[in-house]
Amino acid sequence: MKEASYLALTQESLPPRLAGIPAVTERLGRAHDTWRVKEVGDGNLNLVFIVESSEGSLIVKQALPYVRLVGDSWPLPLYRAFYEFNALMRQAQRDPGAVPEVFHFDEDQALIVMEFLSPHVILRNKLIAGEKVAGLGAFCGRHCARMAFRGSELSMKSADKKTDVGVFAGNIEIPAITESLVFTDPYFDAEMNTHTAGLDPLVAKLRSDVALKCAVQSMLVKFSSNTETMLHGDLHSGSIMATETDIRIIDPEFAQYGPMGFDIGTLTANYLMAYFSQPGHRGADLERYQDWILSVITDSFEAFDAEFRRLWATERSGMLYPKSLFEDQGHGSEPACNAMLEAIWQDAVQFCGIEMHRRCLSLAHNADFETIKDAQTRAGLEARNLEMGATLILSADKVKTSQALCALARTFNGKDVL
């Protein structure tokens, strides 16, 4: 990438700069002076524009050379757009229809032009508002299973998969953010950490728990050294857009190869945080809506399990667990599949607990808790989340099923932790 030629877009500069791109004019028309541009990037890293005309609409996403949440004091390489583009291409191939369609990529300008999803909204906002999405758990579970299986050597030729690992190995700084903000910073007084007033005693307890920190670091070893499959890398309710019936996955710029249980584990953590935060957002219909959130979790894992097993039976053409060792000799491979799914589940449970911690103790908290204005209420709900997270990290082997996970959530939801 020629960073010297890079120039960040503005609402005013975007139309003339993109007017010569056929993929753009095919959808918006050539009269770029009539295009309507709105900057809507509310995330931590990037510029995002909705561009509309009488002929159509699209999204333009451009990486900034720094962390937007912090400012130019935290520089970040523009090449992350290259990895997001490549991740979107692989996601579209491995789970068709699950991600926005990409129309154009400009590596030098670190920008991606893609489908404008409308009337979709960010899933996290729907959860805060108490809205439901039909088939949410089944969609997410199938998507995670397809990405896990089809991005691994269960399905891919070994040479192709290793080459792809090499492609994403260049994405150094973005995974380093995860390695720090998720696995390390929550457990000591890191410079950019923040947490809600009132949580100090609980935070001190967590940071003094050596067994907890050892368990988290063991998961960091897996995250940083295990290249089982291509991960979204930052899958949460803010990286999903939905209507009442349609769902898409967005923002895979944290993509890397890693453990199969990571994405579904972090997504589950965000569902649990939505669950624990609900008393801060509503009174009427509270219990029924919380039950629905938990049903999304069980649906997700049931769909993951079913889809993974289907792919195991129909698409297991890579070097791992080859049919020559099993079916071709008249042996069933179900025990191997069962063992793999159990390992994925255990990893997912621990990654879930770690994500529950980092979203309250590190940088970049989530809106589920942050939008609760009363600090005392927020602290009490976050405390339940933090305590359950510690239990999942330390006792994942005792949480055998998604039903058991949800039962544990109900238990902590009734506790006065502080």
Side-chain angles (χ1 to χ4, degrees):
M1 180 177 293
K2 303 171 185 176
E3 296 202 10
S5 67
Y6 168 88
L7 186 63
L9 292 166
T10 65
Q11 289 186 196
E12 294 73 27
S13 69
L14 186 151
R17 286 180 59 187
L18 272 60
I21 300 173
V24 174
T25 56
E26 285 172 9
R27 290 164 177 84
L28 299 177
R30 296 186 177 278
H32 69 268
D33 55 334
T34 66
W35 297 354
R36 300 180 299 279
V37 183
K38 181 180 180 182
E39 210 279 302
V40 295
D42 60 355
N44 299 326
L45 300 178
N46 306 294
L47 294 170
V48 181
F49 301 89
I50 298 173
V51 190
E52 298 177 287
S53 75
S54 59
E55 298 186 31
S57 60
L58 46 75
I59 287 285
V60 176
K61 181 175 181 179
Q62 186 181 39
L64 288 167
Y66 53 83
V67 177
R68 186 175 188 177
L69 176 66
V70 177
D72 56 13
S73 63
W74 187 346
L76 206 59
L78 296 172
Y79 66 56
R80 67 185 187 274
F82 168 84
Y83 295 105
E84 179 168 8
F85 167 71
N86 276 278
L88 284 165
M89 293 297 98
R90 286 153 179 77
Q91 288 174 325
Q93 180 184 33
R94 294 169 189 173
D95 189 12
V99 299
E101 182 180 358
V102 174
F103 303 133
H104 176 75
F105 172 59
D106 185 329
E107 184 173 0
D108 289 341
Q109 295 303 314
L111 69 84
I112 304 171
V113 179
M114 67 186 88
E115 177 185 4
F116 173 38
L117 300 174
S118 179
H120 300 66
V121 299
I122 294 295
L123 176 62
R124 176 166 285 133
N125 296 340
K126 294 180 79 68
L127 297 175
I128 291 171
E131 300 173 7
K132 296 180 180 180
V133 178
L136 176 61
F139 174 91
C140 292
R142 285 193 301 269
H143 174 73
C144 288
R146 289 169 184 172
M147 295 305 300
F149 194 97
R150 290 171 173 163
S152 77
E153 283 163 314
L154 289 168
S155 175
M156 297 177 71
K157 292 180 179 179
S158 184
D160 292 340
K161 191 259 188 174
K162 288 179 170 62
T163 298
D164 215 39
V165 170
V167 169
F168 282 86
N171 193 13
I172 298 169
E173 281 83 354
I174 294 294
I177 292 175
T178 303
E179 292 157 4
S180 176
L181 297 188
V182 176
F183 292 94
T184 307
D185 289 2
Y187 303 100
F188 79 107
D189 188 20
E191 181 180 358
M192 289 185 288
N193 284 356
T194 62
H195 62 259
T196 300
L199 287 176
D200 288 6
L202 181 53
V203 173
K205 173 187 171 184
L206 294 174
R207 290 178 178 166
S208 64
D209 191 330
V210 174
L212 177 73
K213 292 186 286 188
C214 286
V216 173
Q217 288 299 293
S218 73
M219 297 309 291
L220 174 55
V221 172
K222 286 190 177 183
F223 178 79
S224 61
S225 62
N226 182 324
T227 60
E228 280 183 317
T229 194
M230 192 195 82
L231 305 177
H232 178 285
D234 194 28
L235 188 58
H236 52 72
S237 55
S239 53
I240 298 173
M241 295 192 72
T243 66
E244 291 181 357
T245 57
D246 189 63
I247 308 155
R248 305 287 184 90
I249 309 296
I250 64 171
D251 293 347
E253 64 192 315
F254 278 71
Q256 67 173 82
Y257 272 78
M260 290 185 179
F262 184 78
D263 281 346
I264 195 166
T266 57
L267 179 57
T268 300
N270 281 267
Y271 288 142
L272 287 170
M273 286 183 278
Y275 170 82
F276 283 122
S277 72
Q278 288 303 310
H281 298 299
R282 64 190 34 81
D285 208 32
L286 171 62
E287 185 175 348
R288 185 178 301 178
Y289 191 68
Q290 284 185 305
D291 285 345
W292 177 78
I293 294 174
L294 294 184
S295 75
V296 171
I297 294 174
T298 56
D299 288 350
S300 295
F301 281 103
E302 287 172 4
F304 184 100
D305 185 274
E307 183 67 2
F308 195 94
R309 291 181 186 281
R310 185 187 73 82
L311 296 171
W312 182 279
T314 60
E315 297 186 15
R316 199 173 82 252
S317 56
M319 77 169 187
L320 298 178
Y321 303 97
K323 292 183 178 181
S324 59
L325 298 185
F326 297 96
E327 288 84 356
D328 292 353
Q329 296 184 41
H331 305 148
S333 61
E334 290 84 358
C337 184
N338 293 341
M340 196 162 197
L341 282 166
E342 183 176 350
I344 292 170
W345 165 256
Q346 291 297 308
D347 283 354
V349 170
Q350 288 191 284
F351 285 132
C352 175
I354 294 166
E355 173 76 355
M356 292 167 78
H357 282 177
R358 80 97 168 185
R359 284 291 189 175
C360 292
L361 303 181
S362 187
L363 183 69
H365 296 193
N366 64 19
D368 303 77
F369 291 125
E370 290 293 286
T371 53
I372 299 172
K373 293 182 179 180
D374 184 77
Q376 185 175 357
T377 299
R378 184 170 68 248
L381 300 178
E382 287 182 324
R384 295 171 178 174
N385 172 74
L386 291 170
E387 283 279 84
M388 180 170 173
T391 298
L392 296 182
I393 293 166
L394 290 169
S395 303
D397 59 329
K398 297 177 182 176
V399 184
K400 301 294 187 182
T401 65
S402 58
Q403 290 79 11
L405 179 70
C406 291
L408 191 64
R410 288 192 175 93
T411 298
F412 278 99
N413 191 52
K415 286 187 175 183
D416 184 6
V417 177
L418 291 181

